[in-house]
Each structure stands twice: as structure tokens, then as C-alpha cells.
Amino acid sequence: MNMIFKKFLPVAVAGAFAMGIGTVSAAPLTKLGKDLTDEERERVSQMVQGAPLPKDEELVHIPPTMEDLEASDLHPKMKEAIRRGHDLFVNTQQLRGKNVFNNMNCSSCHMAEGTMPYGGPVWPAAIDLPAYRGKNGHVNNLEERIVGCFTYSMNGKPLEYGSDDMLALSLYHQWLATGVPMFAKDKIYGRGFPRPGEPENAPDAVRGKVAYEANCAICHGEDGAGKKDGDKVIFPALWGDDSYNWGAGIARVFTLAGFTKHNMPLGKPNSLSDQDAWDIAQYVDSRERPQDPRYTGDIKETREMYLDTFHKHTLYGTEMDGKILGDHDNAGHKDFLKPEILRSRDFTGGKKAE
């Protein structure tokens, strides 16, 4: 074990337990906020330190754990597939060089193995999809949503539709959604990375650099490269070739601000001010990273093509320190730009509207 790992392991472990990363000890729960008992409200508050408690009309779901899976009466082959999905989710780096070309795992962004409110819980995708998605302008299913994560967040080559690993990952999402009705109309408590309060001052990368160095650099490095122990990722890179590309959802400043506010520093969620969260996000998302896979070869054209649906919330194609961010053809560690699996869809039956 090298000195970097010895130094940062206590931070990672302490943070994991403080944030509930790992497993939820009590039974699964699916209720509207108004129906929660006092004990259940306390349980939710322990999961998400410092976050607002559920509102009456919000759906609260605490997913089943892997221990619940083992105790269930599901067929052994179902359990085997869900275990594989869980393993891929928490250690996506096992696909490094094949499907993943940076040092991200699914669990790098989706906290507590994809279960935690305000930490990007993934089970809502299993009950909402298929649904229309503005980012690519058509109806997406769950597998296609996962394809997007591999394409952008992992700067990778997505799993094949219908492959064993794709089925396993999809099934893990669906297992976490156990007990929630499909297309639930209720507002979901802690979905995604809820946007922080609007800052008093416009987000600023200069202030953000100072806040980053004070709160984030100990884990992610002053250069944003993260920390590794050999091939094992301890803390992911936040910019550069080992990080997410310009098309990733967290490249949107408001998304990263929400993630930062509610989940960082590790073990101290909701300890940063809203202003610091916005400033840190502005700084991190103003650093260079691999090209958006949708790049046409012209930065201005690409930004304009996806401005309304995505890039109006990113700094891609804007000027920073005399340079235009994203004005390059660097695809990071992969030898291709756009995965062939990305596609459009048509449900008109061949009869396009006039």
C-alpha cells in the first residue's frame, strides 16, 4: 500500500460512512412525505445530512440493499445478474480501455451505490423511462440512458444494447426501484442533484479556485487529476483527459453546483455555502477536458447546435483566459470521437409530419 493510499484511505472511509455510502441498514421504504412517521423522517435525515426534509407531496424511496437481495425469494439467476450490475456500478473501472476511457465509476457521481437522495439516485430512471429526452431529441429507454452515461461521463464506448453487462446494469437500476410504481406522478424527493439557492454574486472561477483549493484539492488534487493507488481510483479526476468530457451532464455548471453543495466535501455534505458551491462549479467546469462526442469539427457550430438543449448551461465554446474552451480535437484516451452506437429514433412509422 503506497503512502498516497494510506494518507487518503481514512478520509474516504470516514466520508463513506458519514454519507451512508455502502448500504442502508433498515428496511426499504416507499411513501409520500406526508405519510412518513417521525422515526422514518429521522431515518431520512440521517441519510442526507443537512438536506431539506421531504415535503408532503414528495415521494420518498429508500431502495433495497444487496443484503435484501440475498434474503429475497428471487431466482438465483436473477440475484446473480443483479450482483453483476451492482459490481459494474461500483467498479466500472473494470471496463477501462474497453468501455471506459477515464477514471470514473458510475458511483463517482451517483452516491451510496446510486441510492442516496440529493446524490443522483439512479432508480428514478427505471420508473420514468422510456421518456422523451431533450438532450438527444427523442424518446429514450433505460439502456439508452446508460449509453449516454458511458458516452459522456465516462468518455467511453457504451455497452452494446442487449448485452449481458447492459442487462445487468439495467436490472440493478430496476432492483433499486423495487416498490415504486412505473411512471409515478409524484415529485421525487432528492432526485438528481437539486440546484442550490441562487448565489448572491454571479459564479466566479477566480473565487472558485480559492474555494476549490481549500475544500477539494486534498482529494482531487490542485491539478484536478484525482488520486489513484496503482490502477485503483480513489478519487476521480475533475478535469483533463481522465475526467468527463464536454458533453457530460455534470459539465453544466448548475448540475455540478448541485452535486457539490449536497455531497462535497466527502463526509461533510451541505457544509459549503451556496456561493462556494456555485463558484467551485464555475472553476471546475472552466477547466479543459475531452471533446464533446457530438463535435462537428467547428466549436461555434457545435455550441450553437446544442445550445438550447444543453450548452447554454456549460462554458463550452466560451472564452476563458484568452482561449476558447473546447476548441480542440482531443478525445482523451480513446481513439474515436463519437461512439457508433449513438443513434436517432423515429416513431412516425415512416410518415414524417409535413
Side-chain angles (χ1 to χ4, degrees), residues 268-283:
K268 297 171 63 179
N270 293 295
S271 61
L272 294 171
S273 68
D274 290 344
Q275 184 70 62
D276 278 349
W278 280 102
D279 289 343
I280 289 170
Q282 184 81 3
Y283 171 63

Side-chain angles (χ1 to χ4, degrees), residues 9-319:
L9 180 59
V11 177
V13 172
F17 279 102
M19 298 179 69
I21 297 174
T23 58
V24 180
S25 58
L29 172 72
T30 306
K31 280 186 177 182
L32 288 177
K34 65 182 180 181
D35 297 325
L36 293 173
T37 65
D38 290 343
E39 182 180 354
E40 289 166 341
R41 283 185 174 273
E42 177 61 24
R43 181 180 166 199
V44 172
S45 73
Q46 291 297 319
M47 286 185 69
V48 196
Q49 298 175 30
L53 285 172
K55 297 178 181 177
D56 286 352
E57 70 277 10
E58 290 182 316
L59 178 67
V60 178
H61 177 63
I62 299 178
T65 66
M66 297 308 290
E67 286 77 9
D68 294 324
L69 174 67
E70 299 308 321
S72 75
D73 59 1
L74 285 176
H75 191 282
K77 288 296 184 181
M78 282 285 285
K79 292 182 180 181
E80 182 180 62
I82 293 169
R83 284 190 215 105
R84 174 58 177 166
H86 172 266
D87 181 49
L88 286 168
F89 192 90
V90 299
N91 180 24
T92 328
Q93 283 293 299
Q94 64 190 279
L95 302 176
R96 178 82 183 233
K98 177 183 177 183
N99 300 102
V100 177
F101 288 86
N102 60 17
N103 68 8
M104 295 287 181
N105 294 298
C106 296
S107 55
S108 297
C109 296
H110 301 285
M111 310 301 286
E113 301 174 357
T115 68
M116 195 167 72
Y118 287 86
V122 298
W123 60 266
I127 65 161
D128 271 0
L129 297 169
Y132 176 79
R133 192 171 185 226
K135 184 172 182 176
N136 57 19
H138 60 253
V139 174
N140 292 224
N141 65 3
L142 179 56
E143 286 196 347
E144 192 164 7
R145 187 66 183 85
I146 294 171
V147 162
C149 288
F150 274 87
T151 299
Y152 301 109
S153 297
M154 301 194 185
N155 194 40
K157 180 181 180 181
L159 303 170
E160 293 291 333
Y161 289 113
S163 65
D164 294 352
D165 282 347
M166 177 64 89
L167 175 57
L169 264 179
S170 300
L171 185 54
Y172 177 63
H173 284 61
Q174 292 169 320
W175 163 250
L176 294 181
T178 299
V180 185
M182 282 294 293
F183 302 119
K185 300 299 182 183
D186 307 288
K187 183 178 180 182
I188 294 172
Y189 172 66
R191 181 172 192 168
F193 309 116
R195 188 179 182 127
E198 291 303 312
E200 183 176 346
N201 301 301
D204 180 78
V206 175
R207 284 196 310 268
K209 184 175 187 292
V210 175
Y212 174 89
E213 291 174 348
N215 295 283
C216 315
I218 188 173
C219 294
H220 297 286
E222 291 190 5
D223 59 356
K227 294 288 188 298
K228 296 180 70 175
D229 178 51
D231 291 334
K232 182 177 178 59
V233 175
I234 309 301
F235 300 110
L238 299 185
W239 62 84
D241 285 357
D242 282 321
S243 192
Y244 52 91
N245 65 43
W246 278 112
I250 210 162
R252 297 173 301 188
V253 175
F254 77 86
T255 302
L256 182 55
F259 174 84
T260 303
K261 171 66 178 180
H262 299 298
N263 298 283
M264 294 291 128
L266 190 64
K268 297 171 63 179
N270 293 295
S271 61
L272 294 171
S273 68
D274 290 344
Q275 184 70 62
D276 278 349
W278 280 102
D279 289 343
I280 289 170
Q282 184 81 3
Y283 171 63
V284 171
D285 277 345
S286 69
R287 305 297 93 186
E288 269 297 1
R289 56 194 65 258
Q291 181 59 259
D292 187 330
R294 301 168 295 180
Y295 182 55
T296 66
D298 183 288
I299 185 69
K300 183 177 180 180
E301 178 183 62
T302 307
R303 179 174 171 82
E304 282 296 320
M305 285 179 66
Y306 301 102
L307 184 64
D308 289 341
T309 58
F310 190 79
H311 279 307
K312 63 184 178 183
H313 301 296
T314 78
L315 298 172
Y316 180 75
T318 65
E319 186 174 336

